[in-house]
Amino acid sequence: MNIKLLGKNLDDIRPLLSKYHMTESAGKDVELIVTHGGDGALLGAQRDYPGIPKLPIRDAATAPTCSVHTADKVLAAFQEGRLTMHRTPVLEAVCGNGVIRGINDLVIHSREWVSALRYRVSIDGEVYAREVVGDGLCFSGVHGSTAYYRSVTRGIFKVGVGLAFFNTTEAVDHLVLPENSVVTVEILRGPGVMIADNDPRKIPVEVGEKITFRQTDDRAEIWGLDGFMCSECRTLRHRK
């Protein structure tokens, strides 16, 4: 199998590739992206190579793994057909000609850190909040429910999409919406910035502009995502 290897400490995993009949390729014949690192490596690979399946493996040098999820065992499980393919929804935010995508969180935030945003929120064409004053908001998919959304709401969700509000002056309920929901945010006072996952791009949004959030029909194909998110591995990382 022709693969592309991305991430950190790649020399720690390269010697294993031939054992599992994998060959690194720089051409267009890549069948699989293997990421060696953490969540950021996986998110970056999905952004740069959206149409190719991913196999994420934790870098044990920086994030200890349990005995089941070492690089050797994950590669063996993949070769033997024991890993599950997860098709994770891709989210999209559009503002004018600016488009940004992610699988964790799409975020609108104030561009000036000392000044709040004022914005209006509509859901499927109906006004949900006429004016919100705060730092911004995030639109999350199921995979992202354990990331930024969780840090804001202290909750997670298993189906649909999530909408969480940052540091609002008045109480605004966080929401879990049907997956086909379309959320529109109009900037009443700015400026703001639109970002996604760990994408280094920052798309400016100005007063009067509208940002539309939705879950697309596209999916990120990720092998063994349940093992990559293993709770025992997470506990070991936190102890370190």
Side-chain angles (χ1 to χ4, degrees), residues 12-22 71-73 75:
D12 291 347
I13 192 174
R14 277 197 172 101
L16 297 173
L17 298 180
S18 60
K19 177 180 177 181
Y20 296 106
H21 310 294
M22 293 180 174
D72 197 20
K73 289 187 177 180
L75 288 169

Side-chain angles (χ1 to χ4, degrees), residues 198-218:
N198 63 343
D199 194 332
R201 292 183 303 147
K202 299 176 177 63
I203 298 177
V205 292
E206 308 296 342
V207 173
E209 290 193 300
K210 294 182 179 180
I211 305 97
T212 302
F213 298 92
R214 59 167 50 87
Q215 179 175 294
T216 72
D217 294 332
D218 294 338

Side-chain angles (χ1 to χ4, degrees), residues 70-91:
T70 63
D72 197 20
K73 289 187 177 180
V74 173
L75 288 169
F78 176 78
Q79 184 193 50
E80 295 165 7
R82 292 187 284 110
L83 294 187
T84 301
M85 164 68 81
H86 297 259
R87 291 177 170 84
T88 302
V90 175
L91 310 176

Side-chain angles (χ1 to χ4, degrees), residues 119-198:
Y119 55 94
R120 179 173 296 127
V121 179
S122 299
I123 301 171
D124 296 330
E126 298 291 330
V127 174
Y128 171 69
R130 193 161 299 280
E131 183 176 89
V132 181
V133 181
D135 289 342
L137 79 165
C138 75
F139 180 82
S140 299
V142 171
H143 185 58
S145 75
T146 61
Y148 203 0
Y149 179 91
R150 183 179 186 179
S151 72
V152 175
T153 67
R154 301 304 176 191
I156 62 173
F157 56 91
K158 298 295 186 181
V159 294
V161 292
L163 194 62
F165 301 88
F166 310 149
N167 297 328
T168 57
T169 56
E170 304 291 338
V172 182
D173 289 336
H174 309 303
L175 299 173
V176 178
L177 303 167
E179 64 180 18
N180 61 348
S181 299
V182 177
V183 175
T184 303
V185 176
E186 180 182 359
I187 304 300
L188 305 177
R189 187 182 76 186
V193 64
M194 181 169 70
I195 55 179
D197 291 349
N198 63 343

